[in-house]
Amino acid sequence: MERLKQISESRLQQVKTDFTRFLTNEIHWEERMIGISGARGAGKTTLILQYMKSSLPPDADSIYVSLDDIYFAENPLVYFAEDFYKKGGVYLFLDEVHKYPDWSRELKNIYDNLPGLKIVFTSSSALDIYKGAYDLSRRAMMYNLPGLSFREFIELKYRLKLPVYSTQQILFEAKKIVPGILEKIKPLKFFEEYLKSGYYPFFIESEKNYSERLINILNLVLESDLPTIFHIDYYSVMKIKKMLAVLSQVVPYKPNIEKLARQTGTTRDTLLKYLYYLEKAEIVKWLTKDTFGINYLNKPDKLYLNNTNLMYALNNEKPDKGTLRETFILNQLLVKQGVSYPEKGDFLIGGKYLIEVGGLSKNLKQIAGLANAFIAADDIEFPDGRKIPLWLFGFLY
């Protein structure tokens, strides 16, 4: 216990609080059990350490522990929590619960048996907390932390704090919004930089080896997280890697599942499971004609990599610009609303707003006569009627 307390204090002293993620202000911290999921590298650990350092009372009895610590190889989490609680503990912050074998049962026991204890835990986005062996759906409030928005990237790197705007504001009030942003910054100057290396907050530590570090994180997800969560073997991991290598060259991809299964040497049903695992781990994005949820019984209508940084990391050549544009806007839109694959156009937001994505010269021809239809155009600063600057969709969170 003392060693873990010392580690906790050390981590708190080291964490910086000059930049915080948007999700910090959206979490209802008063809840007794809070779960924060997200991809590796999104900043979950930093978020909870910042909250401990900045928002808890100075005399609060709290502790941060990572469940991949060797201590928990021999000591049950529930006993640790009971000991902490008996000694006056109030706030228990648990990192990487997916690394602990019996996470759902012990979290349930801790919640039920220690009513004065508040628990915040983080997990891989691939871990479906509601499908654990023990029901946590009535106990835990769950949140997901994506990578940085374009707005957050500007704030973190260039120390310029800009407002968040809703989808409706961006679509219908862009002419009012954009001049205020342009007075402070030239977004096109930094947009390509964000697309290449601005999605994961760790870029701030070292930009020179960003892509290499991103590939290392990707390998950790494939070789460690997925086998731990989905109980797959080494052979399956190799198949998933092969499939991802194929997909990275052809996205956006309207899947021919049988062909892709042959290319990766697996069956159709197994391939759909692998795609589902990659989607849950925030490596790929599924786009379907409805927004009722994703499962491996139904194939996606279109596949993308999760974000543009992955496109650069997984390709030896510069990615296709049209694909970068579509990947960017889908990634940003999905944080706040449902997006589906429409009959016309590229994306349908909330079943209501149609988006066609293009470059500077993109005109309204493809959305002519359609209500609530807009062009998200790259390489423009100012909106022009229903033609909205693509970069502005990076201000949704």
Side-chain angles (χ1 to χ4, degrees):
M1 175 74 80
E2 287 305 314
R3 173 181 155 273
L4 293 177
K5 282 185 176 180
Q6 290 175 10
I7 293 173
S8 178
E9 287 300 319
S10 176
R11 295 297 299 268
L12 283 176
Q13 289 174 12
Q14 293 171 22
V15 73
K16 296 178 180 179
T17 57
D18 53 340
F19 168 80
T20 56
R21 298 297 310 279
F22 80 100
L23 191 64
T24 304
N25 297 322
E26 296 189 0
I27 293 173
H28 296 284
W29 293 102
E30 70 277 4
E31 295 288 339
R32 276 194 56 212
M33 181 180 283
I34 295 165
I36 303 168
S37 66
R40 271 188 182 267
K44 301 183 297 296
T45 302
T46 299
L47 187 149
I48 62 174
L49 288 170
Q50 287 177 331
Y51 175 76
M52 292 175 70
K53 188 171 186 175
S54 300
S55 300
L56 291 184
D59 58 347
D61 204 333
S62 62
I63 191 169
Y64 159 89
V65 294
S66 179
L67 294 187
D68 64 355
D69 192 284
I70 194 171
Y71 174 90
F72 295 102
E74 295 182 349
N75 298 278
L77 171 61
V78 67
Y79 291 170
F80 171 83
E82 288 172 356
D83 190 30
F84 175 64
Y85 185 61
K86 288 174 184 176
K87 293 177 180 177
V90 179
Y91 300 93
L92 178 59
F93 293 83
L94 306 172
D95 208 3
E96 299 204 274
V97 298
H98 58 281
K99 294 295 185 68
Y100 188 81
D102 211 8
W103 58 269
S104 68
R105 182 180 68 172
E106 297 202 22
L107 283 178
K108 174 186 177 297
N109 288 340
I110 292 168
Y111 182 94
D112 291 346
N113 299 333
L114 308 176
L117 189 64
K118 292 192 174 184
I119 308 111
V120 178
F121 64 88
T122 75
S123 75
S124 163
S125 55
L127 184 68
D128 193 337
I129 201 72
Y130 297 149
K131 291 184 179 178
Y134 294 82
D135 183 20
L136 292 175
S137 62
R138 293 179 294 103
R139 297 171 175 84
M141 284 287 293
M142 289 300 301
Y143 299 87
N144 183 263
L145 181 68
L148 297 170
S149 67
F150 181 44
R151 182 196 69 85
E152 288 182 307
F153 164 76
I154 292 170
E155 181 180 346
L156 176 57
K157 184 165 185 180
Y158 297 102
R159 300 300 165 182
L160 182 60
K161 195 171 181 66
L162 296 164
V164 172
Y165 299 103
S166 69
T167 304
Q168 287 75 16
Q169 286 177 305
I170 288 173
L171 294 179
F172 297 103
E173 300 176 27
K175 284 188 176 180
K176 296 179 182 178
I177 292 169
V178 168
I181 296 173
L182 295 180
E183 285 177 3
K184 298 176 180 178
I185 198 168
K186 292 293 185 183
L188 291 178
K189 180 179 179 181
F190 307 110
F191 190 51
E192 187 171 347
E193 181 184 3
Y194 168 78
L195 296 180
K196 186 175 182 178
S197 58
Y199 186 68
Y200 297 94
F202 59 77
F203 80 82
I204 206 72
E205 299 166 17
S206 174
E207 294 185 58
K208 290 182 179 179
N209 63 349
Y210 178 83
S211 290
E212 290 81 359
R213 185 169 176 186
L214 184 50
I215 291 295
N216 289 338
I217 287 176
L218 189 59
N219 281 323
L220 275 173
V221 173
L222 298 175
E223 297 170 5
S224 177
D225 293 352
L226 294 189
T228 298
I229 294 165
F230 295 112
H231 309 295
I232 57 177
D233 57 18
Y234 175 81
Y235 174 80
S236 297
V237 171
M238 292 301 102
K239 291 291 184 182
I240 291 173
K241 282 189 173 185
K242 186 175 182 180
M243 181 181 68
L244 184 58
V246 173
L247 287 175
S248 68
Q249 304 301 316
V250 297
V251 290
Y253 178 59
K254 295 180 180 179
N256 182 325
I257 297 300
E258 285 71 19
K259 181 180 178 181
L260 188 57
R262 288 195 301 272
Q263 287 177 294
T264 54
T266 188
T267 66
R268 180 187 187 279
D269 290 347
T270 301
L271 181 78
L272 286 172
K273 284 188 179 182
Y274 290 167
L275 286 173
Y276 174 76
Y277 298 161
L278 290 177
E279 203 282 336
K280 290 291 291 179
E282 300 190 40
I283 296 171
V284 302
K285 291 281 190 191
W286 289 36
L287 192 61
T288 60
K289 290 179 180 177
D290 61 59
T291 57
F292 295 116
I294 292 167
N295 64 72
Y296 54 76
L297 299 176
N298 300 308
K299 78 179 184 71
D301 292 295
K302 207 168 183 180
L303 277 170
Y304 292 83
L305 288 178
N306 177 277
N307 60 79
T308 58
N309 289 189
L310 286 173
M311 291 180 63
Y312 277 96
L314 291 170
N315 284 277
N316 295 324
E317 299 179 2
K318 186 176 180 179
D320 174 74
K321 198 164 188 180
T323 303
L324 283 169
R325 293 165 180 160
E326 289 186 31
T327 302
F328 162 75
I329 194 170
L330 177 62
N331 171 274
Q332 301 287 285
L333 286 170
L334 281 171
V335 173
K336 293 289 186 177
Q337 56 257 305
V339 182
S340 56
Y341 185 51
E343 294 295 330
K344 292 184 178 181
D346 291 314
F347 305 109
L348 185 62
I349 306 172
K352 186 174 183 180
Y353 305 114
L354 186 68
I355 303 293
E356 175 75 21
V357 183
L360 177 66
S361 60
K362 190 78 170 181
N363 58 42
L364 301 177
K365 182 179 179 181
Q366 287 177 274
I367 61 170
L370 298 175
N372 290 322
F374 303 84
I375 299 291
D378 198 6
D379 300 317
I380 65 171
E381 281 192 327
F382 289 93
D384 181 11
R386 291 191 288 164
K387 198 171 181 178
I388 312 296
L390 179 67
W391 57 263
L392 189 56
F393 291 88
F395 284 69
L396 286 165
Y397 68 90

